[in-house]
Amino acid sequence: METRERKELLLEQRQVLIFFVLLGMTLAGSESRRYSVAEEMESGFFVANLLKDLGLEVDELIVRGPRVVSKGKKLSLQFDRQTGDLFLNEKLDREELCGSTEPCVLPFQVLLENPLQFFQAELQIRDINDHFPVFLDKEIFLKISESTTPGTTFLIERAQDLDVGSNSLQNYTISPNFYFHLTIQDSTDGILPQLVLDKALDREEQPELRLTLTALDGGTPPRSGTALVLIEILDINDNAPEFTKVLYEVRVPENSPIGSHVATVSARDLDIGVYGQISYAFFQASEDIRKTFQINAKSGELLLTQKLDFESVQTYTINIQATDGGGLSASSVVLIQVIDLNDNPPELTMSTLINQIPENLQETIIAIFSVSDSDSGDNGRIVCSIPDDLPFFLKPSVENFYTLVTNTALDRETRSEYNVTITVSDMGTPRLKTEQSIIILISDVNDNAPAFSQKSYTLLVHENNQPALHIGSVNATDRDSGTNAQITYSLLPNQDLHLPLSSLVSINADNGQLFALRALDFEALQAFEFRVGATDQGSPALSSQALVRVVVLDDNDNSPFVLYPMQNASAPCTELVPRAAEQGYLVTKVVAVDGDSGQNAWLSYQLLKATEPGLFGVWAHNGEVRTTRLLSERDAARHRLVVLVKDNGEPPLSASVTLHVLLVDGFSQPYLPLPEVAPERAQGDSLTVYLVIALASVSSLFLFSVLVFVVVRLCRRRRAVPLGVCSMPEGHFPGHLVDVSGRGTLSQSYQYEVLCLMGGSGTSEFKVPKPIIPNFLAQGVETESDENPSFRNNFEFS
């Protein structure tokens, strides 16, 4: 009957407690939204839809950039930005998250990034009956004196159940026996089982008892745990131990080493002998207390066996039982308060991080993070900072949230990467800090035009080059990166060229290499200019220009051209020379030009072949043909000279010209028969040929004698003539010889006195033909003859 009344009273107390809990939840809901979920639900379990509570529509949700942030990283939730549904990200264990605290409420925040806004919320973890009641000691020993009177109660160590509420420990039962029944006692720590002696014990009749104690929880279905109660019947012991203090209070720093002395409890017993010997032990101690502390059974000294952590447990309440040799016991309480030390560095939790931002933007949010510290007091006060030499600053927000923002526009070309170290330090002693480095990359914007390595380029190429010849390159660089730095080269139109630029050169659009598309001719085009453009691939594209000048170098590809005497006339021109001419008499001047320039146009003249060697000479400088000795009656009347004109190129090119010279006795003769200058028909007669051969064979000795005589006479006459007249310099031109207008080697004007006999005229008159000379002949030659002034013809070439 008494037990039923107690149960009804306990039920009423629970109903009142539940009422106040529900009332507290209602009041708390006005400040923050609360959602609930049962523990041990699988990952992905639907918790709630937050759209209505956030006051947002579905299309607004993605724009606002919602995130779920929890403190201490205990709660792992997943938020669907598309629907606003909140899911579990992992299986939750209420006992691991909250322990014995009820209700188990974990706060979290919903962070809206654009614009920045916070919503407070809580998730209540409902308990389920997932733990069995467990006795820490599977065997419970009791020593009861046989003199114990009926109605005496004995406390029994209670069972442990990690569940709370109705799923926690609710009842105990004892196996049927003749001596004891079980009663339940309520306490602040839950219900406690007590054995009540119903019948006097008789050690001689039964020295010990074995009873089974069963603990039951209130879950559905209920779970249970058992322990064996061993009762030893003792002789009479009429004095129980007494502690000197009912309550021991101790303060212990959390960094105390293992094995440190915590406290010493003491009890005394008035009995003597075995009944006066006291032993100390933990009573009703949890598993955590048993792991953390150890008591000396004889001395009552309490020692530390495990490190203390203020952030986990702030106080310990330890019940210590003193039992004498007769089985009588007493209990005392040791209250241990853990002193907080600054042993936890601050924590930084990154909510949003943008690792890459474009350059040239003002006040861009890089990161959003929160900071926390598990310590208390000054040990938990936090200061957050970044280096001063970086273009960023920290902007504090609500509830220890900070945003990292740029304070100026960033230039990638100046610096493309920043390493920002966020330092979070507390105010404890010593100060502890946490650092987290963030690598921020600056992405490129096309804000730099390509730049050529030179403003202008000069390229040299020899004429007569092979088509598609690589003649040079242009190079441009772009300070941007990626596609913004990819450069394309192109030729820009040039209106000044008489030929299309695309027919002369081409450019490789990728690397700027220039190629000549056709063979260039120095005589037609000495140089030309054009512009090259470099354009990047950015948007919008940027470009720059450079000037390219191509200089064509001359090659010796033009042979000398003889202007006089003309070789394409219908009849050759014959130069008349009086036999009375002095040594060094100017017979004629060979005039030639060369289409090349520079050294390739320097001309030299050489007598290649003559009818009578030694009679005429050619000046190498100017092509003047002069007599090298006095003429005699024995000299042949008709002479044929072959003059070689050679330039100074490498390899040298040459041309030859044939001169016909006729020796005459005087210019006053009415008729001068012209010798045949055409191919001689008389020599074509075979009879004459045979006659000449026969005469040469018979008279060889006579001719040899005559030749010796002539050589001796010539040598005597040469001694009287200046050496400069007969010997003609060969080889390269002297240093003063220069090219005039790139069209030959004439350095001054001359006048010539020339008499020409035209073959086939059949008259007795002299005809002086006026040669047709091209307009580009720059200068002429003039020579005067004092002997026959009446037959002087003046030719001036211009």
Side-chain angles (χ1 to χ4, degrees):
M1 189 68 179
E2 181 180 357
T3 303
R4 183 178 300 174
E5 291 177 356
R6 287 185 178 180
K7 288 184 179 181
E8 291 177 355
L9 179 61
L10 180 61
L11 181 59
E12 291 177 356
Q13 291 177 351
R14 289 181 181 176
Q15 291 175 351
V16 172
L17 179 62
I18 293 173
F19 172 77
F20 282 105
V21 168
L22 293 176
L23 180 60
M25 292 176 60
T26 303
L27 293 177
S30 62
E31 296 179 358
S32 61
R33 299 168 179 82
R34 176 174 293 185
Y35 308 93
S36 65
V37 64
E39 66 173 335
E40 302 298 329
M41 290 299 173
E42 295 295 332
S43 175
F45 179 79
F46 173 78
V47 177
N49 187 284
L50 305 185
L51 283 178
K52 182 177 179 181
D53 294 336
L54 295 176
L56 300 176
E57 298 297 332
V58 175
D59 53 351
E60 294 178 313
L61 188 62
I62 299 177
V63 177
R64 294 295 300 274
R67 290 178 180 273
V68 175
V69 181
S70 61
K71 293 183 180 179
K73 302 180 181 178
K74 290 184 177 181
L75 188 57
S76 181
L77 298 174
Q78 180 181 355
F79 186 73
D80 190 341
R81 296 187 178 187
Q82 303 293 333
T83 62
D85 292 337
L86 186 66
F87 302 93
L88 293 181
N89 203 29
E90 62 182 8
K91 184 183 292 187
L92 301 180
D93 185 3
R94 192 207 66 82
E95 288 74 23
E96 180 181 351
L97 293 174
C98 298
S100 60
T101 303
E102 181 64 15
C104 179
V105 178
L106 300 178
F108 67 94
Q109 295 83 31
V110 179
L111 170 63
L112 301 179
E113 297 180 0
N114 187 22
L116 186 63
Q117 188 176 359
F118 293 86
F119 291 89
Q120 303 295 328
E122 295 176 345
L123 181 65
Q124 180 179 353
I125 312 300
R126 299 193 307 272
D127 182 59
I128 63 172
N129 191 25
D130 57 341
H131 292 88
F132 290 87
V134 176
F135 289 92
L136 298 180
D137 295 325
K138 296 298 182 182
E139 294 182 352
I140 301 174
F141 296 91
L142 292 178
K143 295 181 179 181
I144 303 177
S145 174
E146 62 181 351
S147 62
T148 303
T149 59
T152 305
T153 61
F154 302 90
L155 292 175
I156 303 175
E157 183 174 358
R158 65 185 179 88
Q160 305 286 333
D161 193 336
L162 297 179
D163 295 324
V164 296
S166 60
N167 296 323
S168 64
L169 194 61
Q170 300 293 327
N171 195 17
Y172 291 90
T173 60
I174 193 75
S175 60
N177 63 91
F178 296 103
Y179 296 95
F180 297 93
H181 73 270
L182 193 65
T183 62
I184 306 299
Q185 179 181 354
D186 291 330
S187 69
T188 57
D189 295 331
I191 60 175
L192 300 177
Q194 291 183 340
L195 282 178
V196 180
L197 184 61
D198 295 331
K199 179 181 176 182
L201 300 174
D202 185 5
R203 180 182 176 278
E204 289 70 22
E205 181 180 352
Q206 189 172 357
E208 68 176 16
L209 294 173
R210 289 176 173 267
L211 305 177
T212 301
L213 179 64
T214 303
L216 299 171
D217 63 20
T220 304
R223 296 177 183 267
S224 62
T226 60
L228 180 62
V229 180
L230 299 177
I231 301 175
E232 181 181 359
I233 311 301
L234 303 177
D235 287 337
I236 296 175
N237 179 23
D238 55 347
N239 290 290
E242 293 182 2
F243 280 94
T244 57
K245 290 182 180 180
V246 179
L247 177 64
Y248 295 84
E249 293 181 341
V250 181
R251 292 169 58 89
V252 181
E254 64 176 341
N255 65 341
S256 299
I258 296 175
S260 300
H261 170 78
V262 177
T264 300
V265 296
S266 176
R268 60 188 180 88
D269 195 324
L270 298 177
D271 295 326
I272 60 174
V274 177
Y275 298 126
Q277 295 179 0
I278 299 175
S279 61
Y280 302 91
F282 293 127
F283 181 73
Q284 302 289 343
S286 65
E287 185 177 4
D288 186 34
I289 292 177
R290 293 174 182 268
K291 289 181 179 179
T292 308
F293 301 93
Q294 177 184 353
I295 190 169
N296 190 312
K298 293 183 178 180
S299 63
E301 182 181 14
L302 193 62
L303 302 177
L304 188 65
T305 58
Q306 184 174 278
K307 287 281 187 179
L308 300 178
D309 186 8
F310 176 83
E311 288 70 33
S312 298
V313 180
Q314 289 78 37
T315 58
Y316 293 89
T317 301
I318 304 176
N319 292 317
I320 297 178
Q321 187 179 57
T323 305
D324 62 12
L328 297 180
S329 62
S331 62
S332 179
V333 176
V334 178
L335 180 62
I336 300 174
Q337 185 174 0
V338 182
I339 301 174
D340 181 44
L341 297 176
N342 192 26
D343 60 342
N344 290 283
E347 294 181 1
L348 188 151
T349 304
M350 191 66 64
S351 300
T352 301
L353 176 60
I354 302 175
N355 295 103
Q356 187 172 17
I357 62 172
E359 61 180 335
N360 304 331
L361 293 183
Q362 298 281 350
E363 287 199 8
T364 303
I365 295 179
I366 305 299
I368 302 175
F369 61 93
S370 62
V371 293
S372 60
D373 196 319
S374 301
D375 295 322
S376 61
D378 289 340
N379 297 332
R381 292 175 57 192
I382 298 173
V383 176
C384 190
S385 63
I386 61 173
D388 295 331
D389 58 345
L390 296 177
F392 305 92
F393 69 95
L394 289 176
K395 185 176 180 181
S397 183
V398 296
E399 287 196 7
N400 291 333
F401 274 85
Y402 291 85
T403 56
L404 179 64
V405 185
T406 60
N407 60 5
T408 185
L410 303 180
D411 184 13
R412 189 205 66 83
E413 287 71 32
T414 302
R415 188 170 178 181
S416 61
E417 179 179 314
Y418 291 88
N419 188 346
V420 180
T421 300
I422 302 174
T423 303
V424 183
S425 59
D426 59 24
M427 304 300 293
T429 302
R431 298 184 66 173
L432 301 179
K433 67 178 181 179
T434 298
E435 294 182 348
Q436 180 167 341
S437 295
I438 300 174
I439 303 298
I440 301 174
L441 302 178
I442 311 302
S443 60
D444 186 53
V445 174
N446 192 27
D447 57 349
N448 290 279
F452 282 93
S453 58
Q454 300 173 213
K455 292 184 179 180
S456 62
Y457 297 81
T458 300
L459 307 179
L460 304 179
V461 57
H462 285 270
E463 65 175 336
N464 303 321
N465 58 284
Q466 293 291 333
L469 174 68
H470 176 233
I471 61 176
S473 300
V474 296
N475 181 46
T477 57
D478 196 320
R479 296 181 62 196
D480 295 322
S481 64
T483 57
N484 295 330
Q486 295 178 2
I487 298 176
T488 301
Y489 299 90
S490 61
L491 299 177
L492 301 181
N494 189 350
Q495 303 297 333
D496 297 333
L497 288 175
H498 64 280
L499 292 175
L501 181 60
S502 60
S503 66
L504 294 176
V505 293
S506 68
I507 189 170
N508 189 315
D510 296 327
N511 54 28
Q513 292 183 349
L514 291 166
F515 300 88
L517 297 180
R518 58 187 293 179
L520 301 177
D521 186 5
F522 173 82
E523 288 71 29
L525 183 63
Q526 285 77 35
F528 59 94
E529 294 179 351
F530 57 91
R531 289 192 171 273
V532 174
T535 306
D536 60 26
Q537 301 299 315
S539 179
L542 302 178
S543 63
S544 61
Q545 300 179 8
L547 179 65
V548 179
R549 176 178 174 82
V550 179
V551 178
V552 183
L553 301 178
D554 182 53
D555 284 341
N556 191 27
D557 60 340
N558 289 281
S559 299
F561 179 78
V562 179
L563 300 176
Y564 184 83
M566 299 178 62
Q567 299 299 299
N568 58 350
S570 60
C573 180
T574 301
E575 307 291 340
L576 298 181
V577 179
R579 289 184 179 272
E582 296 291 334
Q583 181 181 1
Y585 177 82
L586 179 61
V587 177
T588 186
K589 178 179 175 69
V590 177
V591 180
V593 294
D594 196 316
D596 297 320
S597 65
Q599 183 176 334
N600 296 328
W602 294 354
L603 302 181
S604 63
Y605 301 82
Q606 176 184 350
L607 183 59
L608 187 63
K609 190 182 297 183
T611 302
E612 185 173 348
L615 182 56
F616 299 95
V618 178
W619 281 88
H621 301 52
N622 52 21
E624 292 179 353
V625 180
R626 296 178 181 268
T627 59
T628 60
R629 61 177 175 82
L630 295 175
L631 302 177
S632 66
E633 295 297 328
R634 289 185 298 272
D635 293 328
R638 185 169 57 88
H639 293 266
R640 182 173 177 268
L641 306 179
V642 178
V643 178
L644 179 67
V645 183
K646 182 171 62 175
D647 62 22
N648 200 39
E650 188 66 32
L653 302 178
S654 62
S656 62
V657 61
T658 302
L659 300 177
H660 296 276
V661 179
L662 181 61
L663 303 182
V664 295
D665 292 334
F667 294 106
S668 60
Q669 296 173 344
Y671 175 77
L672 286 178
L674 292 176
E676 295 294 329
V677 294
E680 297 179 342
R681 296 184 179 85
Q683 293 182 1
D685 189 79
S686 61
L687 180 60
T688 304
V689 174
Y690 295 148
L691 179 59
V692 172
I693 295 174
L695 290 175
S697 301
V698 173
S699 305
S700 59
L701 182 60
F702 174 76
L703 293 176
F704 178 77
S705 300
V706 172
L707 180 60
V708 172
F709 176 77
V710 171
V711 170
V712 173
R713 289 291 301 273
L714 290 175
C715 290
R716 288 177 180 177
R717 296 183 66 175
R718 286 188 180 184
R719 292 191 184 99
V721 180
L723 294 176
V725 177
C726 296
S727 62
M728 309 304 291
E730 298 292 332
H732 294 285
F733 295 98
H736 67 275
L737 184 60
V738 296
D739 178 30
V740 181
S741 302
R743 296 296 180 182
T745 57
L746 299 179
S747 60
Q748 52 184 317
S749 299
Y750 294 91
Q751 288 185 345
Y752 290 92
E753 187 175 6
V754 181
L755 294 177
C756 294
L757 296 178
M758 305 304 294
S761 63
T763 65
S764 60
E765 297 179 354
F766 291 103
K767 294 184 179 179
V768 183
K770 184 178 181 180
I772 302 173
I773 300 175
N775 293 331
F776 51 78
L777 181 60
Q779 297 176 341
V781 185
E782 178 179 349
T783 305
E784 296 182 357
S785 174
D786 296 332
E787 297 177 353
N788 297 296
S790 61
F791 289 91
R792 179 182 303 159
N793 289 327
N794 294 329
F795 290 88
E796 183 173 354
F797 300 89
S798 59

